[in-house]
Amino acid sequence: MPQYFSLLLAGPSLDAIPQETDFWHDRELSLFSCPSADADYALTALVFKISRNPKDLLAHLRRIYFCYDQRLSEQLYAALLDFVIILEGKGTAISRRMIQASQSRLLVQQCQDLLKTDGQTPPANRYSLFSKGLLASRELVRSRQQTEAQHDYLALANDFIEYSQLEQAMDVLETGINLQHDRPDLQLALLELYKSTKNRERFQLNRQRFSDSGVVLEGEWLELAHYFEGQAS
């Protein structure tokens, strides 16, 4: 995909295009047990990484490039939209450059929406992480993205468990609970991991952290606290 690479890094000239490096390939994706050929799984891992650290601009760029390379137009639009939102009006030059370099994979209206300069956030789609749920310009509706993201956290955690990567599974569930307070299924899955790994310290730390963040904790948290107290006595 030399034209996109050229527009992004080498300027408008197509002469002397440099050889592409591994700049766009995230080595941390190996932590998610992502087969290189599994595009959906790799993208889920990238999205999860961004949700944990929204200010990771390099991860945003890799997500945009990945969606472009895989010809995922709707996901590409969402990746560009999230990039624009996170920049908060800064970095206009780089955001416009990324949008213009991606226009061959976008609809004309999508490009126009992303390049708006009137201060309004462009309409979102179901793949956007940081939009406020606007799927159209006139109507505020419940974002479909939330439903899909709810499934992703639990599914990703289960995949980690399948490969006996329990620490990573707890990372995923803790992040999911922090972002989606109304997910009792994530809480119960996390509590099972705390109990099976006998990780009392991590349980206590996150119990307090969730409580301070306003997360309504299920009754099972108190039951597990009593269990750990009994183990300690």
Side-chain angles (χ1 to χ4, degrees):
M1 195 174 58
Q3 184 178 6
Y4 184 86
F5 181 80
S6 171
L7 287 171
L8 187 62
L9 296 180
S13 173
L14 295 179
D15 298 330
I17 295 174
Q19 183 176 1
E20 189 169 343
T21 69
D22 63 352
F23 174 83
W24 298 111
H25 304 293
D26 193 337
R27 295 175 182 175
E28 292 185 22
L29 293 185
S30 61
L31 296 176
F32 293 85
S33 302
C34 289
S36 58
D38 191 336
D40 290 339
Y41 207 114
L43 181 56
T44 297
L46 271 174
V47 169
F48 170 72
K49 184 176 181 181
I50 291 171
S51 72
R52 294 196 68 187
N53 184 10
K55 298 297 184 181
D56 187 346
L57 297 187
L58 182 56
H60 280 276
L61 296 180
R62 284 169 170 159
R63 178 188 176 194
I64 292 168
Y65 177 84
F66 185 91
C67 293
Y68 183 98
D69 187 50
Q70 297 293 321
R71 297 178 177 272
L72 303 172
S73 60
E74 291 299 316
Q75 292 91 331
L76 174 61
Y77 174 80
L80 290 164
L81 174 59
D82 287 338
F83 188 54
V84 170
I85 292 172
I86 290 302
L87 288 176
E88 297 179 333
K90 304 173 184 177
T92 303
I94 188 173
S95 63
R96 290 183 68 88
R97 191 169 185 177
M98 296 296 292
I99 295 165
Q100 291 168 350
S102 304
Q103 60 185 345
S104 64
R105 301 281 197 271
L106 298 171
L107 300 176
V108 174
Q109 186 60 52
Q110 289 177 325
C111 284
Q112 293 175 350
D113 289 337
L114 289 168
L115 291 171
K116 283 180 179 178
T117 58
D118 57 6
Q120 295 183 355
T121 302
N125 67 16
R126 57 179 174 161
Y127 299 105
S128 175
L129 293 174
F130 306 114
S131 65
K132 298 184 183 301
L134 282 173
L135 299 182
S137 58
R138 296 184 179 180
E139 184 178 6
L140 182 64
V141 297
R142 182 179 180 86
S143 172
R144 289 173 58 191
Q145 179 269 334
Q146 182 182 5
T147 301
E148 294 198 357
Q150 286 180 355
H151 170 73
D152 288 343
Y153 286 112
L154 194 56
L156 189 56
N158 286 333
D159 287 335
F160 281 131
I161 294 171
E162 183 177 351
Y163 287 93
S164 299
Q165 297 176 342
L166 303 185
E167 291 291 326
Q168 291 89 336
M170 286 187 279
D171 287 340
V172 170
L173 292 169
E174 288 162 357
T175 300
I177 293 170
N178 191 52
L179 294 175
Q180 300 169 0
H181 294 183
D182 58 344
R183 293 292 308 279
D185 54 338
L186 297 182
Q187 292 191 32
L188 295 178
L190 180 59
L191 289 172
E192 289 181 7
L193 284 174
Y194 288 151
K195 185 174 183 179
S196 64
T197 58
K198 296 180 172 57
N199 199 329
R200 179 183 181 184
E201 292 76 13
R202 185 163 182 165
F203 162 78
Q204 292 175 330
L205 175 65
N206 283 288
R207 182 189 182 194
Q208 185 63 49
R209 180 167 65 89
F210 291 145
S211 180
D212 292 342
S213 299
V215 178
V216 178
L217 299 179
E218 299 295 311
E220 285 79 3
W221 286 84
L222 183 58
E223 293 178 10
L224 187 56
H226 292 327
Y227 169 81
F228 279 132
E229 290 173 0
Q231 293 292 309
S233 61

